[in-house]
Amino acid sequence: EEDILNASKVSIIKDSSEVTLVYDGVWNIEEPFFQLVDEAVVSKLLDAISFARVHDVLTEKELALAGRSLMDFGLDKPLFEFRISSKTRPTKSLYFGSRTPTGDGVYVMVRSENRSALDGVFVLPSSVGEALFIDVDDLRRRQFVQLEPAEVSSIDIRRGSEFIRLRRVVDRWRMVAPNDMPANEAQVKSFLTNISIAKSASFVWPS
């Protein structure tokens, strides 16, 4: 938990892809491209590892004494790596292997960058692995635009050669272009509400 609280960067690495989040007052996606994040999703991801309960642990010495190898836990070729970097603490990597025979746990190998030996092989709830095994699109902010309808004071709508401008005058909306007249309050409020809650269904990756 302490490593996550002090983290300035976390990365999810699987196969040849890497997703990196950086923290500078707020979390943002750094790799594979800069993008704003869905803070609720990131919070859930970080909480999953922060509050994970360790069910069992084996040190490297205990593995050797038991005649066990990383292959026995699916850790010779991990499914993915979750890397935690901090400005004040050594980088720590968590490698996720196979599930336990009961299926409710997952084997996790932990390495710290300043140690040649393993920190150990841990058994964490399988739900932790499921929470961390996500793609970059799962982390991206889907809200189309951030706005508070009550704070909007002007709206411009352009469609081809047609142009409409609405302005809030005191607490009422008026159309000021192409003509000056009262606007339909219900329609304007509905428009702003729909814009404020609109979310992207999918994303097009930057080229």
Side-chain angles (χ1 to χ4, degrees), residues 4 7 10 21 23 27 41-52 82 132:
I4 286 293
V10 296
L21 305 174
Y23 183 78
W27 286 99
V41 174
V42 173
S43 179
K44 182 179 179 181
L45 179 148
L46 299 178
D47 284 350
I49 195 66
S50 294
F51 300 110
F82 186 79
L132 301 184

Side-chain angles (χ1 to χ4, degrees), residues 1 46-55 123-125 128:
E1 181 178 351
L46 299 178
D47 284 350
I49 195 66
S50 294
F51 300 110
R53 300 187 66 176
V54 176
H55 291 172
V123 176
L124 299 182
V128 176

